[in-house]
Amino acid sequence: MDNFGKVDEKIVKALRNIVGTSGVVYEDRTALENYSHDEAGGEYYAHMPEVAVKVESADQISKIVKLANSEHIPITPRGAGSGLAGGDVPIYGGIVLSVEKMNKIIEIDRNNLVAVVEPGVVTNDLCKKVADVGLYYAGYPMSVETSFIGGNVATNAGGSKVIKYGNTGHHVIGLEVVLANGQIVEFGGKRRKDSSGYDFVHPFVGSEGTLGIFSKIYLNLIPLPGKTVDLLAPFKDIESAISNVGKLMIESKTLPSAVEFIDGLSVKLGSVYNNIKLPFQDDAGAYLLVQYEGRNKGEIEDLYEIGGKVLTNGGAMDVFIADNRTNSEKLWRIRRNWLEGVKSFDPYAPTGDVVVPTDKIPEIMQYISDISKDYKVQIPVAGHAADGNIHPAPMKPKEISPIEWKNLSEEVLGKIALKAAALGGAISGEHGVGFIKKELLKQTKSDQYILMKKVKSLFDPNGIMNPGKLF
Ligand SMILES: Cc1cc2nc3c(=O)[nH]c(=O)nc-3n(C[C@H](O)[C@H](O)[C@H](O)COP(=O)(O)OP(=O)(O)OC[C@H]3O[C@@H](n4cnc5c(N)ncnc54)[C@H](O)[C@@H]3O)c2cc1C
């Protein structure tokens, strides 16, 4: 892995010939620094690339990949850099290939309900454009305003609406991919069905840049839901909150579009950051935030009545309803800005991401609480209650130095991840493995891990595509 070729003047000249001088960032340390990290943990997980290139087409990507392959130079695809697993950090240097200029929405096809986009489209730009024509892109994560579609596909991003609509992968119906040998191949497309041979689209979903680089993405669209209603319910503890999740679905005979939870500590931190006070925040141990969608006011009213009854009977201290945008925004602000709220108190707090079967949430939460006491570390937690995806964010105690904290927080999050896997879950539900969780992947996926490595060597025999990630 460490015998990679180096980027020299000859390589830089070749790159400039491919993308033009302005598309190559070289020797300018300040500019290169932007391509050295994601949101995983700033300087502690950063590594400088030797060069960064901003591509504009599949053809340019292909030429760069061919060059990298022949010179055995590592190549790291980069989206918006909002990742939380170090996936786009060029840990072996080499070339960072940024798709930031490939930001065209190529087509919104209303007949087939398909969007065709370049990988550098900001997710929210697509959401807004399709909403303008009465359509909905449901695969977006909560980082919708910053992340790119390509990064979402590469991490198989999730969000609050996975229970109803599935994660990003559920909405990817086709990909144009530049493979490690420079070949440009189209998998899937606008067609909705295809049982002619292996499905090659989905092995690329969640591949974190290790198998190829997406240059075009075909996405499933659906009709824009008419109306939404949000219910906020404080509970004395997490167990009583989670016991309502299944009932909310069964009794309303419909899938909520979101059932989020946030623990009492997170609400206290978020309330300061967002300058809002939630009801019962001094007493509640956990909150559920439930969203239903309906076609019209009548349907919405039925849903919030049923949902409200379920929550009240299930131990909610009260139920607050928001059926207009302004009130809904107030309820969602603390959950949506959860990470920012925690980081405003501790910029060193890393974000964990584990998934368990939903009914195991109380068990993993108890484990997190035990770890918090053992290590004398505060751990605010929020997550997607409906799909079992939990985000613990351990906060650095004042007396520990940042570098000691890097190791200690990895230990804490590693234990939580292993526990999640032991409960029938996985070490990541949506952020991916990057390089930060690769040891945990090895420990928890055994047979699958060997198969994954075989797939990797089939697509990338020389190991130049985002080396050091996943494996
Ligand atoms: C405040 C905040 C909230 C977040 N909320 C969520 C959330 O709700 N759900 C969630 O899932 N994540 C969330 N994230 C994490 C992050 O936004 C997602 O992982 C996102 O999908 C990353 O997209 P990106 O464009 O920033 O990709 P990057 O971080 O740049 O890259 C991520 C991975 O994708 C690969 N990649 C990027 N582009 C391509 C391409 N064209 N071809 C092949 N590989 C490529 C990279 O090599 C890397 O491995 C959050 C992050 C923050 C900071």
Side-chain angles (χ1 to χ4, degrees):
M1 277 282 186
D2 50 3
N3 58 351
F4 285 118
K6 289 279 158 211
V7 173
D8 56 18
E9 291 293 341
K10 189 180 85 187
I11 300 286
V12 173
K13 191 169 170 218
L15 292 171
R16 286 187 179 130
N17 281 338
I18 298 169
V19 296
T21 309
S22 65
V24 177
V25 184
Y26 183 57
E27 285 183 331
D28 176 346
R29 280 195 73 80
T30 315
L32 271 182
E33 205 272 333
N34 293 330
Y35 298 95
S36 69
H37 62 86
D38 63 4
E39 292 293 321
E43 61 190 293
Y44 296 105
Y45 293 112
H47 195 284
M48 288 292 269
E50 290 161 74
V51 65
V53 283
K54 299 181 228 177
V55 291
E56 293 182 64
S57 67
D59 192 46
Q60 288 182 354
I61 301 176
S62 166
K63 286 181 177 145
I64 294 168
V65 172
K66 276 184 189 152
L67 176 71
N69 210 3
S70 68
E71 301 290 330
H72 199 52
I73 293 173
I75 185 157
T76 304
R78 180 178 178 91
S82 72
L84 292 168
D88 66 4
V89 178
I91 56 175
Y92 291 101
I95 301 169
V96 162
L97 186 144
S98 168
V99 297
E100 67 201 88
K101 286 186 172 176
M102 292 184 71
N103 58 3
K104 278 190 229 52
I105 297 175
I106 300 166
E107 187 186 359
I108 296 171
D109 178 344
R110 294 188 77 219
N111 293 325
N112 288 304
L113 297 190
V114 173
V116 188
V117 302
E118 290 188 331
V121 169
V122 174
T123 314
N124 209 28
D125 289 352
L126 177 69
C127 294
K128 283 190 193 152
K129 273 272 159 17
V130 300
D132 287 345
V133 293
L135 295 173
Y136 190 49
Y137 170 60
Y140 65 90
M142 293 182 96
S143 50
V144 61
E145 283 171 16
T146 47
S147 63
F148 293 170
I149 297 284
N152 297 165
V153 177
T155 53
N156 196 10
S160 58
K161 304 205 169 189
V162 167
I163 184 64
K164 184 161 182 181
Y165 297 113
N167 44 5
T168 301
H170 281 77
H171 304 277
V172 181
I173 58 174
L175 288 172
E176 180 185 85
V177 185
V178 182
L179 299 178
N181 61 4
Q183 196 185 352
I184 304 171
V185 187
E186 189 149 298
F187 301 106
K190 286 188 181 176
R191 58 188 175 275
R192 298 247 161 212
K193 294 170 91 171
D194 188 339
S195 47
S196 53
Y198 297 136
D199 169 5
F200 270 121
V201 175
H202 289 96
F204 282 93
V205 174
S207 61
E208 300 190 47
T210 62
L211 300 181
I213 302 172
F214 317 140
S215 44
K216 202 196 295 176
I217 300 162
Y218 294 82
L219 295 167
N220 166 49
L221 302 175
I222 55 174
L224 188 67
K227 290 194 172 296
T228 59
V229 64
D230 299 285
L231 287 75
L232 178 79
F235 290 86
K236 70 174 182 344
D237 56 34
I238 192 78
E239 200 151 4
S240 40
I242 297 302
S243 68
N244 288 289
V245 175
K247 285 184 230 153
L248 281 167
M249 298 177 209
I250 295 166
E251 294 192 19
S252 61
K253 296 189 174 43
T254 190
L255 286 173
S257 47
V259 185
E260 295 291 293
F261 86 92
I262 183 159
D263 72 350
L265 173 58
S266 299
V267 167
K268 287 184 187 91
L269 301 174
S271 133
V272 178
Y273 175 76
N274 293 288
N275 195 20
I276 358 178
K277 204 162 160 48
L278 286 190
F280 295 95
Q281 78 173 45
D282 296 331
D283 306 314
Y287 287 74
L288 281 189
L289 182 53
V290 183
Q291 184 176 77
Y292 284 110
E293 293 167 340
R295 274 172 305 177
N296 50 46
K297 201 160 172 261
E299 216 172 88
I300 285 290
E301 282 172 0
D302 283 351
L303 286 168
Y304 73 60
E305 264 183 37
I306 300 169
K309 257 189 214 143
V310 169
L311 294 166
T312 311
N313 294 339
M317 294 164 161
D318 205 340
V319 180
F320 302 88
I321 291 163
D323 60 356
N324 65 54
R325 261 191 149 195
T326 319
N327 290 340
S328 162
E329 180 48 34
K330 269 190 211 147
L331 296 192
W332 273 91
R333 205 175 317 150
I334 288 190
R335 172 63 190 99
R336 197 174 288 126
N337 296 338
W338 168 76
L339 187 54
E340 291 84 344
V342 174
K343 289 213 182 251
S344 69
F345 283 83
D346 173 21
Y348 298 102
T351 325
D353 160 42
V354 299
V355 62
V356 292
T358 310
D359 69 343
K360 301 286 185 210
I361 294 177
E363 210 169 318
I364 190 81
M365 288 297 289
Q366 184 55 51
Y367 185 78
I368 293 171
S369 164
D370 294 345
I371 288 258
S372 161
K373 284 180 199 128
D374 287 354
Y375 282 80
K376 298 187 176 52
V377 166
Q378 283 197 305
I379 312 182
V381 185
H384 313 301
D387 61 39
N389 193 188
I390 313 284
H391 299 311
M395 295 171 77
K396 183 177 91 55
K398 282 202 175 55
E399 64 281 7
I400 295 180
S401 74
I403 189 66
E404 284 170 319
W405 176 238
K406 175 184 171 287
N407 298 330
L408 189 66
S409 60
E410 276 180 12
E411 191 177 315
V412 166
L413 289 175
K415 284 195 167 184
I416 296 170
L418 291 176
K419 177 71 178 177
L423 290 172
I427 58 150
S428 170
E430 57 181 28
H431 297 165
V433 173
F435 68 96
I436 297 171
K437 283 189 165 177
K438 61 186 181 184
E439 275 311 311
L440 295 166
L441 181 73
K442 192 174 178 181
Q443 284 179 52
T444 53
K445 284 268 162 103
S446 55
D447 291 347
Q448 286 177 60
Y449 183 82
I450 295 164
L451 288 169
M452 283 187 212
K453 284 186 92 167
K454 285 187 179 163
V455 172
K456 164 77 175 167
S457 60
L458 176 72
F459 280 99
D460 179 23
N462 297 328
I464 57 148
M465 293 301 314
N466 210 359
K469 308 302 161 53
L470 299 183
F471 315 109

